[in-house]
């Protein structure tokens, strides 16, 4: 991904919400990456131990003003705004300079200002300009609706629509703000597209691990999924062709996928000496409760497993699973987070 950013002359500001690990963050630094993205101010505080240019790609939470000031005193802090009310508060309570991105809705319809709402955008820019501690740096968007795509063509269509929206804003405001940054970031687009005309910065995050959702979208191959959950078998029900594992909603989250088997919450893979191999056909988590994972098992395979054995499961959503577990094992060495 770093090489792709260099090829297209893009600033690469990876999103660290997927792994949330200083240890893994160092792999990025070793590749030459100097700026990062996070999804919360608390995450920014954690990474500020080793990173000094951080974008919080989430609408600013004014209730965390003490932490905002604490971070702004130490690092280059970039926040996202999409309303005037937050700016009034920041103007009154900020003690140190911070950079401001206007969050733009590029079609995901989660957060962000509509690009055609020029009146609101102009109002935000006017308010930012009136505050000595706020500096407008650009427009930031997230094409999160690519996660619903099931074809490369559709990913390209969404990406191109996002480019059009962001380029229209750039053309309108570039003269007044010549250093304006256009920032986009989603793993499906950044994984497969090769058109970034008009973009200055990309912020993908999930690509560090990938997962079953990204596999179904078409972002990656099965061999590129780089994180899995190891779950002990606690019960076997031969009469139901089911195995119960210690691995439930509090571990995997309850993100799911629709497949030919029905709704799944993870896929079981072959156990190999130094990790894992191929998906085992017909073995998947079919149901989750808080601590329990119910695994469908083909009858012919039931005799291979015993109580206390461990299954290796690829997650549907790596970001949520990593956040739930708080710990990794890499070649036998524990990597602790947060």
């Amino acid at each position: 991904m770093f090489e792709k950013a260099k090829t297209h002359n893009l600033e690469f500001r990876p999103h660290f919400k997927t792994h949330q690990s200083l240890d893994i963050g160092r792999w990025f630094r070793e590749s030459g990456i100097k700026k990062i993205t996070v999804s919360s101010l608390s995450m920014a505080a954690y990474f500020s131990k080793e990173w000094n240019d951080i974008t919080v790609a989430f609408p600013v939470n004014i209730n965390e003003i003490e932490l905002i000031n604490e971070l702004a005193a130490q690092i280059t802090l970039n926040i996202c705004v999409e309303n005037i009310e937050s700016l009034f508060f920041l103007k009154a309570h900020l003690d140190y300079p911070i950079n401001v991105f206007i969050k733009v809705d590029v079609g995901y319809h989660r957060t962000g200002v509509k690009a055609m709402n020029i009146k609101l955008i102009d109002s935000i820019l006017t308010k930012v300009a009136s505050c000595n501690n706020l500096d407008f740096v650009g427009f930031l968007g997230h094409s999160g609706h690519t996660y619903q795509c099931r074809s490369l063509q559709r990913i390209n269509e969404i990406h191109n629509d996002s480019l059009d929206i962001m380029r229209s804003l750039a053309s309108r405001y570039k003269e007044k703000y010549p250093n304006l940054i256009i920032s986009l970031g989603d793993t499906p687009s950044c994984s497969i597209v090769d058109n970034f005309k008009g973009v200055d910065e990309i912020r993908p995050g999930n690509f560090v691990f990938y997962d079953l959702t990204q596999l179904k979208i078409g972002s990656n191959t099965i061999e590129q999924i780089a994180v899995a959950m190891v779950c002990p078998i606690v019960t076997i029900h031969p009469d139901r062709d089911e195995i119960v594992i210690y691995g439930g909603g509090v571990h995997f989250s309850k993100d799911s996928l629709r497949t030919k088997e029905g709704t799944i919450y993870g896929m079981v893979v072959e156990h190999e000496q130094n990790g894992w191999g191929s998906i085992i056909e017909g073995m998947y988590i079919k149901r989750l409760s808080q601590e329990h994972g119910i695994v469908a098992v083909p009858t012919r395979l039931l005799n291979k497993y015993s109580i206390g054995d461990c299954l290796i499961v690829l997650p549907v959503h790596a970001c949520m699973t990593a956040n739930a577990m708080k710990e990794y094992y890499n070649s036998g060495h524990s990597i602790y987070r947060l």
Side-chain angles (χ1 to χ4, degrees):
M1 196 67 78
F2 184 48
E3 291 302 319
K4 189 169 197 175
K6 285 203 299 184
T7 298
H8 292 279
N9 196 29
L10 300 167
E11 184 78 62
F12 185 26
R13 187 187 285 273
H15 208 313
F16 277 15
K17 72 170 183 177
T18 298
H19 60 80
Q20 297 185 57
S21 165
L22 282 169
D23 300 80
I24 293 174
R26 293 180 192 120
W27 304 347
F28 288 82
R29 189 185 294 281
E30 290 165 7
S31 295
I33 293 157
K34 300 176 181 179
K35 304 175 182 180
I36 66 171
T37 307
V38 297
S39 58
S40 68
L41 287 160
S42 59
M43 203 180 298
Y46 170 74
F47 282 109
S48 69
K49 301 168 190 173
E50 298 186 8
W51 298 82
N52 59 17
D53 192 326
I54 301 176
T55 294
V56 182
F58 185 88
V60 64
N61 176 13
I62 60 174
N63 292 313
E64 295 183 283
I65 187 61
E66 291 184 9
L67 183 52
I68 291 172
N69 278 321
E70 181 182 327
L71 288 167
Q74 303 171 36
I75 65 170
T76 298
L77 180 64
N78 314 294
I79 65 165
C80 292
V81 299
E82 57 180 274
N83 57 67
I84 295 295
E85 291 83 356
S86 295
L87 293 170
F88 273 105
F89 184 90
L90 291 172
K91 182 176 182 179
H93 295 89
L94 269 179
D95 296 329
Y96 302 95
I98 59 175
N99 295 329
V100 173
F101 280 99
I102 295 179
K103 185 75 176 286
V104 179
D105 182 1
V106 292
Y108 190 23
H109 305 322
R110 183 174 64 179
T111 57
V113 179
K114 294 285 187 184
M116 70 281 292
N117 194 348
I118 300 303
K119 182 178 179 181
L120 177 55
I121 292 173
D122 286 344
S123 296
I124 291 173
L125 291 172
T126 299
K127 192 63 185 177
V128 169
S130 73
C131 181
N132 292 332
N133 282 329
L134 293 176
D135 184 25
F136 171 68
V137 293
F139 295 104
L140 180 147
H142 173 57
S143 305
H145 43 321
T146 55
Y147 278 62
Q148 308 305 317
C149 293
R150 295 298 180 263
S151 73
L152 303 187
Q153 178 183 345
R154 183 59 185 142
I155 295 172
N156 272 288
E157 289 171 353
I158 288 176
H159 178 70
N160 289 332
D161 289 344
S162 299
L163 289 182
D164 288 343
I165 290 169
M166 299 300 268
R167 283 197 293 247
S168 70
L169 289 171
S171 64
R172 186 181 187 95
Y173 292 100
K174 194 76 172 180
E175 185 175 346
K176 186 174 181 179
Y177 303 97
N179 296 320
L180 180 149
I181 297 169
I182 297 297
S183 177
L184 280 174
D186 65 288
T187 285
S189 294
C190 292
S191 295
I192 71 154
V193 305
D194 283 303
N195 172 24
F196 294 94
K197 186 177 180 181
V199 177
D200 301 296
E201 173 182 276
I202 56 171
R203 313 180 321 276
N206 180 278
F207 77 95
V208 67
F209 293 148
Y210 286 125
D211 53 31
L212 292 176
T213 296
Q214 296 292 339
L215 178 67
K216 189 166 185 177
I217 291 169
S219 306
N220 58 280
T221 64
I222 188 68
E223 291 79 15
Q224 289 176 299
I225 298 178
V227 70
M229 183 89 83
V230 180
C231 300
I233 295 173
V234 295
T235 300
I236 298 174
H237 294 290
D239 56 319
R240 301 201 296 260
D241 289 341
E242 291 178 352
I243 283 174
V244 181
I245 57 172
Y246 180 34
V250 296
H251 309 100
F252 285 99
S253 85
K254 288 197 174 182
D255 282 17
S256 62
L257 281 178
R258 290 290 299 172
T259 69
K260 65 179 186 295
E261 290 89 1
T263 300
I264 70 163
Y265 298 89
M267 299 288 288
V268 181
V269 289
E270 296 280 1
H271 189 180
E272 295 186 352
Q273 184 174 357
N274 295 316
W276 61 87
S278 303
I279 288 175
I280 302 173
E281 191 69 29
M283 284 191 71
Y284 56 91
I285 300 178
K286 60 189 289 189
R287 196 165 71 252
L288 288 174
S289 57
Q290 185 164 328
E291 306 285 347
H292 304 68
I294 312 303
V295 179
V297 187
T299 304
R300 70 182 189 282
L301 298 180
L302 275 169
N303 290 335
K304 289 182 59 177
Y305 302 100
S306 302
I307 305 299
D309 289 349
C310 289
L311 299 184
I312 301 179
V313 184
L314 300 183
V316 167
H317 189 175
C319 311
M320 294 290 286
T321 301
N323 183 68
M325 292 306 298
K326 301 288 191 293
E327 183 179 5
Y328 303 105
Y329 286 87
N330 179 34
S331 300
H333 300 289
S334 184
I335 300 176
Y336 290 90
R337 304 182 298 121
L338 295 185

